[in-house]
Structure formats: structure tokens, C-alpha cells
Amino acid sequence: VIDVLGLMGDASDNVPGVPGVGEKTAIRLIQEHGTLEGVLEAASKLTQKKLAENLVAHADLARLSKRLVTIDRDVPLDTDWDDLARRAVDDAALRDAYRELEFQDRLAALGPLGGGPPPAERRYHAVASTAELDALIKALKATKGKGGFALDTETTSLVPTRAEIVGLSFSWVPGEAWYVPVNRDPPMFGGDVERSRAQGSLFDEGGAKSGDAAEILKRLKPVLEDDKVEKTGQNAKYDAIVLACQEPVAVEVAGVAFDTMVADHCLRPDARTHNLDALSLERLGVRKIPTQALIGTGRDQITMREVPVEKVAEYACEDADCTWRLREVLLPELTAHGVDRVFHDIEMPLLPVLVRMERTGIRVDLEAFARMAADLESRAKKLEAEVHEAVGEVFNLRSNAKVGEILFERLKLHETAGRKRPRRTQKGTGWSTDERTLEELRSSHPLPGKLLEWRAVTKLMSTYVDPLPTYVNPRTGRVHTTFHQVGAATGRLSSSDPNLQNIPARGPEGKAIRSAFVPEQGWKLVSADYSQIELRLLAHLAGDPGLSAAFRAGEDVHRSTASKVFGVAPEAVTSDMRGRAKAINFGIIYGMGAQRLAAETGVTQAEAERFIEAYFGVFPRVKAWEESVVAGARERGYVTTLMGRRREVPEISSDDPRLRSAAERVAVNTPIQGTAADLIKIAMIAVDRRLAEESFRARMLLQVHDELVFEAPPDEVERLTAMVREEMSGALDVDVPIVVDVGVGASWADAH
């Protein structure tokens, strides 16, 4: 084989072989001459002239090719025969690999992880009468003090403030669950009206269609609102909002004590997904009925309301059953991993706070959005016309290929900018026209600047101004974002539908968009924002006296840092010096190296290296803390926040320097960002409690990174400001003062 491959080569491994020699010729030659060496020795005597010439001319290439395809059997090994004995599979590593590669069948074949075998029998019931519903409610009440029950809802929408309820499912015994449908169409059990009538059904022929849901929710309301009866859910916040938004009978679910999705995130914050299907498969060995099996996909998709009740019943009961069983698996693990405090003291108390915030939503000025849309559209058209005029041709500004052709092939702007050739796209398939490239070319010609401005304007339109009004709920007239407790590995909340955490904060466009977020008529918006919270937490965690002293003295920490690093008086610090100090202050949190610091501050890499060295000379405890965190992560495999939130960093000991460096940055960043996440969550819980206890009419609306946004009647603003500042600044006991900046205004822009 190696002789044949030496002659013919192997394109898949870049083995050249001899030009003009294919597989058939190579096999024939080896059959005739025995070895590659034999072929080369006889090459000059071959009757095929061209073949002979190629073999003689490329003999060295043939020998090299044979050497390349020959397995080297002389590698020195420190392994003896016994070391190669078969060992038990590393179950955890195999699960991680299967999960990452999404090998669901192989993952299922491993069996449940800590969940034990599935129940021998599944007992799923669908409530069909008043008597059965009353019996279920009695059983639910009896779970008080015994762990309560799992609750799940089936609805018509993924948006909880707009969803109509289709049914509720309950479980408190592994393998057993109950489903209560609230829809009459199609009839239960395929139209088993006789059974329903015989048992005093809520679903008989004479009942009003709208009355079924209202009557059922009215009967379930007392047990669902009893905070002494614990509830378990999977993404329980969704179910709580759905039930609270039902009309005419709204249910304020109380006593939510366990959320399996949130628990899994506390245990595995870097996991790709924490959904019920994945958790059930991995932890319980249960392959759940896919949602698509009931409602379909694409154009033919229906809502759960249109699925026959008996099918929904099995699906819903399985959801509640798996949720209850997951609780029993995850609960002890929280304690074993030391994250029970984060789960029970922060995440679960936060859940009802987020329910109230999402239900409340925030008001937007639709007329302001309409004016912005018209203005931006006019600006975009004007810029597009100016670009076309400058080029002398009408073309699609969104076509990067066409833009690249004009910039580099026609105008040759790269040459004007002093470059030999244009930068290629990442895939190498065309000229790069990204923001960095256009910025570099801006001074060479008016066109790149106009393209950048056009892109900025159209991005504002497509990302914010056009879509945001579509999220206004017609029933409330407000935007109701969804906050995700499992959105970030550091514990930070994220936001979606719409994402209100990425609304621009700076520049005239950002101010204009934020100006369209307004309070209830006649009220004020109040914004409370932590000042440099991550730097303050770094000072506390590192225990550095110099950094801490600057915060205690109320100094401008960036000016103070520049003064110390550059060895000049604070009043002699230039804006350039302060800018570098600010870059490194924040860069420390994210593990910034000299190369990135140089790029951000415009200095050489050597200057950046000297600056970083000088910084750590002034703040030696920061460097020592970073090194201790990385060493601890390497020893334990994880890092923690002040509150005990935990994050695994498995690649901290990787042989790949890139992976290792990235893991080291995560190790340093997580205790800071994660503690900041815990801090604002603790503050939100405390503020929410006082809003209720002190009978405020004011409402908490948004959490955006280190900022909380409220709306309040004018007569409460002063009292609210004092209370919020007190709770936010005192949420954690740290060695440096925590400062909270509070603003008040008629819009979010005015208050920020």
C-alpha cells in the first residue's frame, strides 16, 4: 500500500506522488517490480516514454511520498503494555462530548444521570368533571408541608402576556400526573359526552365556552395563590405571568420555591441549554414527546388549543411529571456543589420580582417613534442618493461585493491609504468592507464616510426604531420584555422580545430612542445606576490599598490611577493619560493584554507592556489577586463569586495556549462580573420588598446591566430615590463605598 501511495500520491493528505501516475498505473508498476524502489530502478527501461521520464525526473518526490505515508513505528513511548488495559469510560467526559456534539441518541443510551430508573408505570389522568377537579384540588392542598407540587401550563403563545391558557398539569408523585383542560373544542376524549354528563362535567354541552376557563381557574385560584403550598416549575416565571394575565380570572401564583431550569443553570452556567427536553433526556433518561409532534411546524403549525385534548393531556402530564422528578434530582446537587445559597437566597426570591416587572412593562411614545422612523428614512434615502451620485451609478448599498468592487477595483482606495492590496473577508471570498476597513479609508475619499453613516442610520431603523413599536401590547399599551435568569454564565440577566438591554445609551440617536420610553401619564421615570461597580468590586476582592483608597476618598479613580502610574500630580494628568488609565482599569476586569491595550489607546505594544507593568507596580495586590484566582481555578477547576455562584473553567489547564488564556480571562472576570450580577439581584429583591411593605405606588420596570429603572408619581420620587439608593448601596458588605447615581426625568433619556 505504501509503495502504491508513494507513486500515486494521496490528495486528502497532500502527498504529491509522481505526476501522471494514477491508481491503476501505480498498482501495475508495483505488481511488475515489487517495490517503489524497484520501479524507480527500472524506470529508464520502461517502454512508455512519458511515464519513464516522469519517474526519472520525480524520483525524489516518489521517495518523499512513500516516507510521508509510512507510519513511523519508532516513536519513543513511556507506556508499557499494562498501561493500555481497558478502563471504565469517563462517563462525565463522554456526556459532555455527546451534549456538545448533540448526539441525542448516544446520550440517551448512557441512561439517566443521577435520576434513577424511570417509574415502571406512568399514570397520567385528564380531569373530565367537577368531581374530578375537586378531588385534584383537595390532593394539591394536601401537599402543603410535603414539598408541594409541580405546575405547568399549556398555552397558545410563547409570549406570556399575550398567551391564552389551554390547560394546566400537576405532579407530586414520580410517574403520576394530572391534566386539567380549560378548552372545550375539540370535546374531551373525542366527545365522551355521556361520561362528562354523568360526573357533572364542566365541559357539558350547555356550558358557555368562555366560562370553562374562568370557572376552572376560579376553583384552582386558592391553592395556586397559597404561598404555604410550594410550587415547582420549569421556567416557572412564564407560567406565573400567563396565569396572572388571564381574564376575567387572574391568578397570582405564590409559593414558587423551585425552578428546574434555574437550578440547572446554577449547577451548569455554561451549558448550551437548560430546556425540559434536554434535562429529561440527560437526567432522567426520558425522551419527551416533541412539541412539534402535536402542533407541527411552518405554515401548517397549529396552536395547542387545536390539538385533541387526549393528546395534549399525555404531553402536559409528561411535562409536569418530568419537572417533579427533576426537582428530586437537582435539589441535593445544589447543596453538594455549594450553590444552594445562590439558588435559594437570590434566584428564587428574584423570580416573583421579574414576574411583576415583566407584567408591568414600560410605556413608549409611539408618535415619537413614528417621527424618528420618518426622519431616519429620509436621511437614509438622502445618503443613498449622495453615494450613487459620488459613484456615478445606482447600485445596492447592501451588496458588499459591489461596494468592494467600487472601493478597490474602480477607485483603488487601498492604494490611496498606502496599502498594497485590500483586506479580504474572513472566508477570503471577497474584499472586506467592514466598519474597520471603511474607517481606515475614510480620509481617502468621501464615499467610505457616507457608507458608514448610511449603515448606522439603517441599522438604527432595522434594529430599534421599526421593530420596537411592534412589541407594544394592544391590551396594555406597553412593551413587556422577557428577562432571562439563565441568559449568561456570569449570572447577569439578559433581555429579549425586545432586548431592552442593548438600547444605545450614548450619542444623539441613543438619546432620541431612550426619549421615547416614558412613564405613566403624569408620572416620572427614575433611573438608579451603580457607579463603576465592577472596579469597586475589584478593589474589594483584591484588597489593594491604593485602589481602595481612591474610592474611599471619592476621587476620580481613572485620574488617580493615571497620577500614580505616570508619576505626576492629579492636576497634571492629561486627557490622554486618563484615557489610558481608564482603558487599563476596565481592561483588568476582562483580562486585557498589551496588544489590545495598544490597539485601544493608540500606543505601541512595547509602550502598552510598560504601562501594564507600571500599573501592577502601583497596584501590586491586583496582580497578586489575579494570579491567586487563576491558580485556584487550575487547582479546583472552577471559580466563585462572593455569594458562592460557581462557574467551571475546564480549559484552564489546556495544552492549547489560546484556550488556556481564554479560560484564565474567564477565571479573573467571573468573580467580578458574577458578584456584580449577584449584587444587583439582591438589591432588586430588597427594593421590591420595600415597595410592597411601604405601600409605594411606584413600580420597578427594567434592569439594564448596572441600572434599575422605575416609574413613580411625583409625590413619591424623593422617598423612592432615598429608598432605592439605600438598598442598592447596602446590598453587599464590601470594603469600599458603593455609589449609586440617581436621575429623574420625563423619559428614560432625561432620567439617565
Side-chain angles (χ1 to χ4, degrees), residues 140 143 147-151 170-172 223-224 229-232 324:
L140 293 174
T143 66
F149 55 83
L151 164 68
F170 306 88
S171 178
W172 60 96
V223 70
L224 293 178
V229 181
E230 291 187 353
K231 285 86 179 175
T232 292
W324 181 254

Side-chain angles (χ1 to χ4, degrees), residues 377-646:
E377 186 174 3
S378 174
R379 284 172 59 191
K381 286 182 178 178
K382 183 173 181 292
L383 285 164
E384 188 174 22
E386 289 174 356
V387 168
H388 291 160
E389 185 178 355
V391 173
E393 176 186 345
V394 175
F395 66 98
N396 181 4
L397 271 63
R398 288 185 170 83
S399 170
N400 291 329
K402 185 64 178 178
V403 169
E405 176 195 322
I406 291 168
L407 292 176
F408 305 118
E409 295 180 21
R410 187 186 305 180
L411 299 176
K412 301 189 182 301
L413 294 189
H414 57 288
E415 295 177 358
T416 311
R419 296 178 63 93
K420 289 185 178 180
R421 60 181 64 85
R423 184 183 291 112
R424 307 288 296 190
T425 59
Q426 194 169 10
K427 293 183 178 179
T429 55
W431 309 127
S432 173
T433 62
D434 60 9
E435 184 178 353
R436 175 185 163 198
T437 302
L438 294 180
E439 284 289 357
E440 291 175 356
L441 301 174
R442 187 193 279 270
S443 60
S444 306
H445 193 279
L447 186 59
K450 290 190 182 297
L451 285 169
L452 282 168
E453 190 178 353
W454 178 84
R455 286 182 181 179
V457 168
T458 53
K459 182 180 179 181
L460 279 171
M461 291 171 62
S462 62
T463 307
Y464 306 110
V465 177
D466 290 342
L468 278 171
T470 67
Y471 285 100
V472 173
N473 188 311
R475 186 171 58 83
T476 65
R478 298 166 82 97
V479 170
H480 302 265
T481 189
T482 296
F483 291 105
H484 301 281
Q485 286 175 271
V486 301
T490 57
R492 287 277 194 185
L493 290 175
S494 62
S495 161
S496 70
D497 304 314
N499 182 358
L500 296 184
Q501 293 191 339
N502 75 341
I503 304 294
R506 295 181 178 85
E509 288 84 6
K511 184 174 176 61
I513 293 171
R514 289 191 175 220
S515 293
F517 287 85
V518 294
E520 186 172 313
Q521 195 73 38
W523 286 26
K524 297 289 185 182
L525 276 186
V526 178
S527 167
D529 199 356
Y530 280 119
S531 171
Q532 299 173 331
I533 188 59
E534 292 182 348
L535 273 178
R536 294 174 191 271
L537 291 174
L538 172 63
H540 170 80
L541 291 165
D544 189 275
L547 197 55
S548 299
F551 284 120
R552 291 196 193 99
E555 299 172 358
D556 175 343
V557 71
H558 304 311
R559 183 170 297 277
S560 174
T561 298
S563 171
K564 292 181 174 71
V565 171
F566 290 105
V568 299
E571 57 272 17
V573 171
T574 65
S575 60
D576 183 56
M577 290 177 179
R578 186 183 181 279
R580 294 188 198 179
K582 182 177 181 180
I584 191 63
N585 270 332
F586 286 116
I588 291 297
I589 297 167
Y590 300 102
M592 179 189 290
Q595 187 175 2
R596 183 173 162 194
L597 179 63
E600 291 201 3
T601 58
V603 300
T604 66
Q605 188 163 331
E607 288 175 313
E609 287 171 356
R610 287 195 295 272
F611 183 64
I612 291 174
E613 188 177 343
Y615 180 92
F616 285 129
V618 172
F619 302 122
R621 290 276 189 90
V622 173
K623 181 67 171 176
W625 175 77
E626 282 192 354
E627 291 174 346
S628 69
V629 168
V630 171
R634 193 162 282 125
E635 180 183 344
R636 294 186 300 272
Y638 64 88
V639 290
T640 60
T641 68
L642 280 179
M643 290 296 292
R645 187 181 298 278
R646 179 167 159 172

Side-chain angles (χ1 to χ4, degrees), residues 213-214 217-218 220-222 224-225 240-253 359 475:
L217 291 178
K218 183 179 176 182
L220 286 167
K221 187 177 172 77
L224 293 178
E225 294 186 345
I241 296 171
V242 166
L243 288 164
C245 291
Q246 296 307 299
E247 294 179 350
V249 180
V251 178
E252 306 285 345
V253 177
R359 284 180 59 195
R475 186 171 58 83

